[in-house]
Structures are given as C-alpha cells and as structure tokens.
Amino acid sequence: MISTARIGFSLLLAAMLAPGLAAGAGVRDLTYRNGDVEIGAKLYLPQGRGPHPAVLYVHARRGWDAEADAQVRRFVAHGLAVIAPDYHSPRFIPAWPIEHDPATEKDVELAIDALKKIPEVRSDRICVAGFSRGGYHAVVLAARRSEVACVVTWYGHMVNPNAPEPVQVYRYAPEIEKISVPVMFIVGEEEQELRRTGIRRAYYALLKRGVPVELLMYPHARRAFDFRQDQREEEKLATIDAARRAADFIKAALRR
C-alpha cells in the first residue's frame, strides 16, 4: 500500500498523544566481536517486564551521534527494545563516508547473535530498522537471516553504495528479490529524486512478488526530515507519525 500521509487533525492528535522520547529508558553498553574486531553497541530496554519485542537499529552514513540516539528512543517510547551497534568506530570510519565497507555488514549482522544473550528481549524474531545507508544493511540482513521478521527503512539506500552509476540509477539491490517478510518504506516527498526512485523500484519489486509492503511518503518533508535542525512543523509531525506507524507495523509483524 502506498500512503501519502495527510498532515491534518489525525497528525495533530498523534502529536498530542505521542509518548515522550523515553528519557527514562534503561540503556546499557555492550560489546561483541567479529573476529579481531570488537563492536560496541547500546541496548535500550523499555519499561515493564520482558521479554520485549526487539529492533536492530542500523544508523545512517553520518554514524552514531545524538540524532541517532533520539531516533532509537522513539522506538523505545513505543515499548520496543533496541540494539544499536556503532559499526563505524571499530573500523575507524569517519562520519559521512563515500564508500561502503562490506566488512561492516557482518559487524551489523552479529548484533542479532548478541541479542540472543539478552534475556529481557525476544530474539527469535526481530525487526531491522535502517536509516539512509542503514536501509541497505536492513535489506541485506532480511535476505540473509531467518530471525528477521520485518524491515522498516527511513529514506533508505536501496542499492549497494559501491555499485557503479548505472546500477545506482536504474536498479535496486538483488537482495530485494530474496526478501519475503513485511517491509515498510518511509520517505519524505521532497527527498532527493534518486533516493525516492530507488525506494519506489524496491516497493514495486516486492509488491510484484506478493510480499507485504507499505510505502509511507510524507508531503512537505525533506531529506532526513526526522532530525533536521531546521525542521518544518510538518516534518515534526511527520517524525511523530512515522514513529507511531512504524512501531505498530513492527509489533504486528513480530506477533505473527
């Protein structure tokens, strides 16, 4: 289903009723290894008794920062546990890298195994949430790991960042053809055209195969609408609404 979200009374109501940013969420640091590389991650636990439904959060090209923490806390505010690896720092990758390091794919993937050691979460079925370049990691994991029960991407990159220009322009990641779990794409209507085109292609590829898929496109929302320093009022509302819809989508998928 393609949904162009309407900015109106329903979003205003959502803003008034939305939970806070889960400032009181339980957060602890953990580490796991990929061979000789130690990956640091944060584990966020919502209030209440577990085991909690779990999300693997994959940060954007900018790396792990305060904005990433805020994105994670929006999941936690809706009752979801989140593991959030910092997959740049262990390999000394600076913020905003141009090239994609394929070794980071395994670094992110092993967070799924790390979750299995956490008794407060349900780790047999998880959702992967990827932001921007993290969206590519999300579709790769959905194609590789049976524990992945759903995927949600925010303005996700739908092709290998190292692929040649014709592939970037005209194709999507081949892993899309291997995904069979529910997928939700979230993007702003004013996102850059190439990114929106890639997301639309991935959407229709999944739809053609009968995979449950939703595309949520917000009017008047620009690139990275959920953490911009110059957020419009519409983008603030879209941020709240997208978090609520994504949480509902994730919970429904993990209940199956």
Side-chain angles (χ1 to χ4, degrees):
M1 177 185 70
I2 297 180
S3 173
T4 301
R6 302 297 181 188
I7 305 298
F9 176 75
S10 61
L11 281 186
L12 291 172
L13 182 62
M16 291 187 289
L17 298 179
L21 286 183
V27 184
R28 63 178 184 251
D29 294 321
L30 57 86
T31 61
Y32 58 91
R33 303 192 71 84
N34 180 10
D36 294 334
V37 177
E38 183 176 81
I39 298 98
K42 291 188 179 295
L43 177 70
Y44 296 72
L45 296 174
Q47 296 181 350
R49 296 181 61 184
H52 302 287
V55 173
L56 168 53
Y57 167 89
V58 193
H59 66 66
R61 190 165 61 95
R62 61 186 293 133
W64 178 260
D65 56 14
E67 284 74 16
D69 176 77
Q71 289 169 335
V72 170
R73 288 179 184 273
R74 284 192 279 273
F75 290 111
V76 183
H78 288 278
L80 297 166
V82 181
I83 187 170
D86 172 3
Y87 64 91
H88 278 186
S89 296
R91 297 187 183 276
F92 305 98
I93 299 172
W96 309 109
I98 299 299
E99 294 185 351
H100 168 65
D101 183 349
T104 61
E105 295 171 19
K106 192 66 174 180
D107 294 345
V108 173
E109 179 181 345
L110 289 172
I112 297 175
D113 299 314
L115 271 179
K116 294 178 180 179
K117 301 176 182 178
I118 310 298
E120 298 96 328
V121 306
R122 179 184 173 186
S123 58
D124 60 320
R125 290 172 59 81
I126 69 163
C127 187
V128 183
F131 286 69
S132 194
R133 185 171 288 188
Y136 173 68
H137 283 272
V139 299
V140 167
L141 282 180
R144 291 179 180 174
R145 296 291 297 244
S146 61
E147 298 94 335
V148 177
C150 70
V151 170
V152 182
T153 72
W154 273 253
Y155 36 88
H157 200 160
M158 290 294 108
V159 67
N160 187 326
N162 294 341
E165 183 179 5
V167 176
Q168 300 285 342
V169 174
Y170 300 114
R171 293 293 299 161
Y172 49 81
E175 288 84 359
I176 293 288
E177 297 291 350
K178 301 176 183 178
I179 293 176
S180 59
V181 299
V183 178
M184 172 180 275
F185 298 116
I186 298 170
V187 65
E189 193 176 57
E190 297 179 21
E191 172 65 67
Q192 57 175 273
E193 177 61 25
L194 183 59
R195 184 63 57 88
R196 284 187 287 124
T197 298
I199 291 168
R200 285 193 294 258
R201 286 199 176 104
Y203 169 84
Y204 281 112
L206 292 168
L207 190 68
K208 183 178 180 180
R209 293 194 294 112
V211 177
V213 59
E214 297 184 26
L215 172 55
L216 196 59
M217 188 172 291
Y218 286 92
H220 306 297
R222 298 165 290 176
R223 177 163 178 73
F225 66 85
D226 60 319
F227 68 83
R228 298 180 67 98
Q229 298 301 310
D230 61 342
Q231 267 191 329
R232 300 166 176 166
E233 287 304 310
E234 295 93 338
E235 290 168 332
K236 294 176 182 178
L237 291 169
T239 298
I240 294 169
D241 189 69
R244 177 183 61 82
R245 292 181 188 235
D248 289 346
F249 177 86
I250 291 167
K251 290 175 184 177
L254 296 184
R255 280 196 298 266
R256 295 182 182 181

